[in-house]
Amino acid sequence: MKLDVYLKGEVIDLCIPTRKFAEKSDWYSWFNDQKVTRYLRHGKFPNTPKRQLDFFEGGEDRLILIISDKNKYIGVVSLSQIDLKKKEAELGIVINKQLVKNYSLLMPLESVARISQHGFDSLGLERIYAGQHVGLSGWQQRLELLGYRLEGIRRRGFVKGREVADTIVIAAVYDDYQEIRKRRGEYWDSAKKMEKRIAHLPPKKFFEDLSLYLAKQGNAYYKRVFNL
């Protein structure tokens, strides 16, 4: 079934999901794939078309868009917990790489760029935040190209089954978004330029420096405090 394009992109389009799509498509099955849900809270129980429909109809404080690679529907990106008083929202994205013949790192990156730009410009947001499993530090670093700064590490923020892991807390604010647009001319200026930026990201992530600092200086500091 064909969905209307809401935000048109270069390597992807973001489309408007419908009740029929939630009920009749394979959207629900993406969350039954253990590779897709590896770093998500999903996957503890089987997903069904009915559960997917319930999710689709479940709230008005969010914007859910289906990611198209210009050929098929491959994932979903969203702004949830939208608070127009605080002017903030939470970013979420899931892509099923197995649905894409020629997967590119630019696909999730442009998806985030398009919905973030919409959030800042059309919804008037001041801050868009997210959290990722520490195993996604490479993805977290690529998001820095869109102004998503590392704000901290949440200890034991991910709990699923027997796994307990830290999560990375990130956010983009309107001032940084504006600064990037000023420097580049456009928030997403081209796939070619973004691909070049990815290749030139620092080999050592800021996340690694922060993790080391918290493990050494942070633990030493709190050891002194706890012994008072």
Side-chain angles (χ1 to χ4, degrees):
M1 62 196 76
K2 186 174 177 59
L3 301 178
D4 291 338
V5 174
Y6 186 60
L7 300 175
K8 189 169 182 59
E10 183 180 359
V11 299
I12 54 87
D13 291 324
L14 301 185
C15 307
I16 306 170
T18 62
R19 178 187 174 90
K20 183 178 180 181
F21 185 81
E23 195 172 23
K24 302 295 184 182
S25 75
D26 63 351
W27 184 7
Y28 80 94
S29 68
W30 303 345
F31 299 94
N32 289 327
D33 188 321
Q34 295 300 309
K35 291 181 180 179
V36 174
T37 62
R38 169 64 183 88
Y39 295 118
L40 304 177
R41 61 179 176 80
H42 305 278
K44 297 177 183 177
F45 299 97
N47 198 25
T48 64
K50 182 181 183 304
R51 286 189 175 188
Q52 197 61 47
L53 181 60
D54 290 343
F55 167 79
F56 171 73
E57 297 179 332
E60 297 182 355
D61 62 340
R62 61 189 183 183
L63 171 64
I64 302 170
L65 297 173
I66 300 298
I67 304 168
S68 165
D69 68 351
K70 309 281 188 176
N71 181 41
K72 61 176 63 174
Y73 303 116
I74 62 170
V76 58
V77 64
S78 66
L79 294 177
S80 60
Q81 307 296 324
I82 298 173
D83 189 326
L84 296 181
K85 289 184 178 180
K86 292 183 177 180
K87 294 183 177 294
E88 66 176 17
E90 181 176 9
L91 171 72
I93 182 170
V94 178
I95 287 185
N96 188 344
K97 298 178 184 178
Q98 298 175 81
L99 297 175
V100 189
K101 185 176 181 180
N102 296 305
Y103 178 75
S104 164
L105 295 176
L106 297 173
M107 291 177 176
L109 197 62
E110 187 182 7
S111 298
V112 171
R114 299 298 176 187
I115 201 169
S116 297
Q117 182 165 8
H118 181 77
F120 287 127
D121 289 347
S122 299
L123 299 181
L125 300 179
E126 286 289 333
R127 182 173 182 268
I128 302 174
Y129 60 91
Q132 292 99 22
H133 188 289
V134 289
L136 295 173
S137 61
W139 164 239
Q140 177 269 317
Q141 188 188 36
R142 290 191 291 277
L143 285 175
E144 292 174 349
L145 293 171
L146 299 176
Y148 281 86
R149 296 196 191 198
L150 174 60
E151 293 194 333
I153 298 173
R154 186 181 178 195
R155 295 179 300 151
R156 302 180 183 181
F158 181 92
V159 178
K160 184 177 180 181
R162 300 305 307 168
E163 181 182 7
V164 179
D166 294 343
T167 54
I168 306 169
V169 181
I170 64 171
V173 298
Y174 183 70
D175 288 348
D176 286 345
Y177 162 73
Q178 284 285 74
E179 179 65 22
I180 289 173
R181 290 194 67 178
K182 181 180 178 181
R183 289 177 179 273
R184 297 177 186 167
E186 292 291 342
Y187 189 46
W188 180 273
D189 46 3
S190 75
K192 185 176 181 180
K193 290 180 180 179
M194 292 302 290
E195 195 167 35
K196 187 175 181 180
R197 291 185 185 106
I198 291 173
H200 286 87
L201 281 167
K204 188 175 184 182
K205 307 177 186 71
F206 181 49
F207 163 73
E208 295 170 354
D209 288 335
L210 181 60
S211 296
L212 184 61
Y213 177 84
L214 291 175
K216 290 187 175 181
Q217 285 92 333
N219 284 341
Y221 171 83
Y222 283 109
K223 184 176 181 180
R224 292 196 302 271
V225 171
F226 295 163
N227 284 331
L228 292 177

